[in-house]
Amino acid sequence: MSKKNVREAALDALLKIEKNQAYSNLLVNDAIKKNELNGKDVALFTEIVYGTVQRKKTLDYFLSPFLPKKIKKKDEWIIPLLRMSIYQMVYLDRVPDRAIIFEAVQLAKKRGHRGLANMANGILRNIQRSGLPDFEKIDNDIERLAVKYSHPIWLVEEWVNQYGLETTKSICEANLKTPPMTARVNGSKSTVQEVIDMLEKEGVIAKPGKLSSDAIEIEKGNFIKTKVFEEGYATIQDESSMLVARALAPQENDRVLDCCAAPGGKTTHISELLNGTGEVIAFDLHRHKVKLIQEQAERLKLKNIHAQALDAREAEEHFPKESFDRILVDAPCSGFGVIRRKPDIKWSKSEKDVQEITKIQLDILDSIAPLLKKGGTLIYSTCTIEKRENEQVIRAFLNKHHDFEANETLKNNLPNKIRSYLKEGQASIQIFPHYYESDGFFIASLRKKPS
């Protein structure tokens, strides 16, 4: 791949995401390296790609009155070009419209022909003159919400049915915001304040997190390039995700099973909470992802983690019954709680995907259930806010496994700040992205009955 300017590289990335359902986060990192973009261009490239994918439905609403009725299939690449140009015109202050339109016309000419360049020029100048269509002209509440906050209609309808219109609006609004960078302090080596002080000496400004007692939030500077990171004093993790190991509450010398463990954020947290005692058996379906767990353990200097490749649905065949004190199932899910970080998720997933993933989630729980000791704790977590993958999965599991019960002590293991979202006796919690600017997360605690 030859080096391209920032907007041409952004258009390439958008076309790949559109046509190949490529993961935006992986593709963005790859494109930055291949095009050797510098610091300033990296910021603009990332903003254009993520912003255009994130606001796709809104941008199409802005664009639709100005598009010709028919565009030849071979010329449909012009639409992502127009979307990213409108995104810059509407949402970025620093770039003048004339520069955006000029770049769009040059790209249309280079990739297509003069006719397409004239069309791009005409559409963008028309939008500039006429102004943007008003969202209030959309009569239907769900459709208006979906267009204004750029989410698929079926997903907004689903959330409105589950949580109501106001909560859905808050979720959609939060999904459009840039998430803060947070890191988990390695409690086996240091404290939150000590790590904040060490980072300051390296020119990185951080403060305690909003939710988790283990968290810091990076306000300024490149955390990844610090000795604090390199030497394993802290690791990047979202604050909601940090609550999972705390909910599991591992005790010294426990033997813990962590299913679906890659890239290892929760695995290493469990290991830290064990204070060098006990053992964490961590596995993941994909062998290359197991390497990520091992690398994290090595960087954080944690010796009690044993990682391997294994399908969690086959766990029962590989370990003796009742051989673990605690088990974490951080289940594969639709990922609707992390749309801020991976905006392509909302366009690539469908209702059918949600139905299919619930079967896998239940199969995993069925497979690991015999491995837990009597009186042991099972934590089930997902990074989604979809009830069919959360509350309904837990209900189905408990209906089938009468030797398990809801563990009402979950509240005791969560931070005070979030306890108000738990009703008395509740054994699960749904964290929404608008609560603390953290990922949307579900955590349920179950216990195997003592006898």
Side-chain angles (χ1 to χ4, degrees):
M1 183 177 173
S2 60
K3 286 186 278 182
K4 294 172 178 169
N5 78 30
V6 63
R7 288 182 178 80
E8 189 171 9
L11 178 59
D12 273 350
L14 289 169
L15 289 169
K16 283 180 185 170
I17 292 168
E18 184 97 356
K19 289 179 182 172
N20 306 328
Q21 299 289 306
Y23 289 114
S24 54
N25 57 331
L26 301 178
L27 199 143
V28 162
N29 292 335
D30 192 43
I32 288 169
K33 282 181 194 167
K34 284 182 177 171
N35 289 292
E36 298 177 20
L37 299 177
N38 63 35
K40 194 177 169 186
D41 281 349
V42 167
L44 181 59
F45 171 82
T46 308
E47 172 76 50
I48 291 174
V49 175
Y50 275 113
T52 304
V53 174
Q54 192 68 279
R55 304 259 184 187
K56 181 178 163 186
K57 194 170 186 67
T58 308
L59 296 169
D60 283 350
Y61 178 69
F62 293 157
L63 186 56
S64 59
F66 304 97
L67 271 180
K69 285 184 181 173
K70 275 195 173 181
I71 294 178
K72 290 177 185 172
K73 193 160 183 63
K74 70 181 178 66
D75 296 332
E76 283 178 351
W77 57 266
I78 195 83
I79 294 176
L81 172 63
L82 292 167
R83 279 189 198 126
M84 75 177 218
S85 302
I86 298 168
Y87 176 77
Q88 295 170 76
M89 289 164 69
V90 176
Y91 298 105
L92 300 188
D93 297 330
R94 289 161 294 172
V95 191
D97 284 1
R98 65 175 185 285
I100 296 164
I101 296 172
F102 175 80
E103 287 274 359
V105 169
Q106 295 306 308
L107 270 174
K109 206 183 289 178
K110 184 176 177 183
R111 283 179 174 262
H113 47 77
R114 184 168 291 280
L116 284 172
N118 289 339
M119 186 176 85
N121 186 51
I123 288 172
L124 294 174
R125 291 198 183 282
N126 255 338
I127 291 173
Q128 196 182 28
R129 277 193 298 270
S130 310
L132 301 171
D134 188 350
F135 297 120
E136 298 308 314
K137 288 183 179 172
I138 305 171
D139 292 331
N140 182 281
D141 287 342
I142 289 173
E143 188 184 346
R144 186 168 58 253
L145 211 58
V147 170
K148 186 172 181 180
Y149 297 104
S150 193
H151 283 66
I153 289 177
W154 74 267
L155 192 56
V156 172
E157 191 168 21
E158 181 85 12
W159 290 346
V160 169
N161 289 335
Q162 292 179 14
Y163 303 113
L165 201 64
E166 282 308 306
T167 298
T168 302
K169 182 185 168 192
S170 298
I171 294 168
C172 292
E173 273 184 310
N175 283 346
L176 293 178
K177 292 179 181 170
T178 304
M181 175 182 268
T182 55
R184 187 191 78 237
V185 169
N186 182 350
S188 65
K189 292 187 73 169
S190 197
T191 67
V192 165
Q193 191 55 53
E194 283 168 353
V195 167
I196 288 173
D197 292 343
M198 284 191 284
L199 283 172
E200 192 175 354
K201 288 175 185 166
E202 294 195 69
V204 172
I205 306 302
K207 63 181 181 181
K210 297 183 182 73
L211 176 60
S212 169
S213 58
D214 302 297
I216 56 170
E217 186 175 320
I218 311 299
E219 294 187 297
K220 189 180 173 187
N222 193 336
F223 169 68
I224 297 292
K225 292 193 173 174
T226 63
K227 285 186 179 174
V228 169
F229 176 77
E230 187 187 330
E231 295 174 3
Y233 284 93
T235 195
I236 292 174
Q237 190 176 17
D238 181 79
E239 288 205 60
S240 292
S241 177
M242 293 178 209
L243 302 185
V244 175
R246 289 283 178 188
L248 189 66
Q251 304 297 303
E252 290 194 2
N253 296 311
D254 272 354
R255 189 166 189 250
V256 182
L257 177 61
D258 181 4
C259 310
C260 322
K266 299 176 194 72
T267 310
T268 51
H269 196 187
I270 293 167
S271 170
E272 289 165 15
L273 294 175
L274 285 171
N275 290 322
T277 70
E279 182 182 27
V280 188
I281 306 292
F283 53 76
D284 195 272
L285 177 61
H286 305 289
R287 192 169 296 279
H288 68 282
K289 290 188 176 178
V290 171
K291 196 178 169 196
L292 299 176
I293 304 171
Q294 292 164 335
E295 286 171 353
Q296 282 240 49
E298 193 174 329
R299 184 177 60 81
L300 293 166
K301 299 177 177 53
L302 300 167
K303 308 287 187 191
N304 58 354
I305 294 172
H306 303 285
Q308 62 187 86
L310 183 67
D311 187 333
R313 290 169 291 188
E314 298 169 1
E316 189 180 3
E317 301 164 21
H318 294 264
F319 300 97
K321 287 184 178 176
E322 299 184 1
S323 56
F324 292 97
D325 299 284
R326 290 161 206 272
I327 296 179
L328 167 61
V329 177
D330 187 45
C333 67
S334 59
F336 292 143
V338 294
I339 284 174
R340 295 174 313 160
R341 299 181 194 280
K342 301 174 184 174
D344 45 289
I345 282 177
K346 62 186 173 186
W347 309 121
S348 61
K349 302 281 184 185
S350 67
E351 282 187 272
K352 190 180 169 194
D353 292 323
V354 173
Q355 287 163 6
E356 288 174 353
I357 202 80
T358 57
K359 182 176 182 319
I360 294 171
Q361 291 160 346
L362 278 166
D363 286 347
I364 291 172
L365 285 169
D366 285 344
S367 174
I368 58 87
L371 308 183
L372 187 64
K373 290 179 183 174
K374 288 185 174 65
T377 301
L378 165 62
I379 293 291
Y380 174 83
S381 63
T382 70
C383 59
T384 191
I385 56 174
E386 171 58 51
K387 283 190 176 182
R388 280 179 291 177
E389 300 175 59
N390 295 334
E391 287 96 329
Q392 291 180 24
V393 164
I394 292 303
R395 203 175 302 133
F397 175 77
L398 288 175
N399 284 338
K400 186 174 177 183
H401 295 269
H402 298 292
D403 53 339
F404 278 80
E405 61 188 359
N407 183 2
E408 297 173 359
T409 64
L410 171 66
K411 195 173 186 174
N412 302 337
N413 298 323
L414 294 175
N416 285 333
K417 285 178 184 174
I418 209 159
R419 290 183 184 178
S420 60
Y421 292 106
L422 268 165
K423 292 174 188 166
E424 196 57 43
Q426 200 172 327
S428 65
I429 185 166
Q430 177 66 71
I431 303 163
F432 290 115
H434 58 280
Y435 283 178
Y436 295 99
E437 294 185 304
S438 59
D439 288 347
F441 235 86
F442 176 80
I443 302 170
S445 182
L446 305 175
R447 179 171 49 211
K448 200 168 202 178
K449 294 175 184 171
S451 59

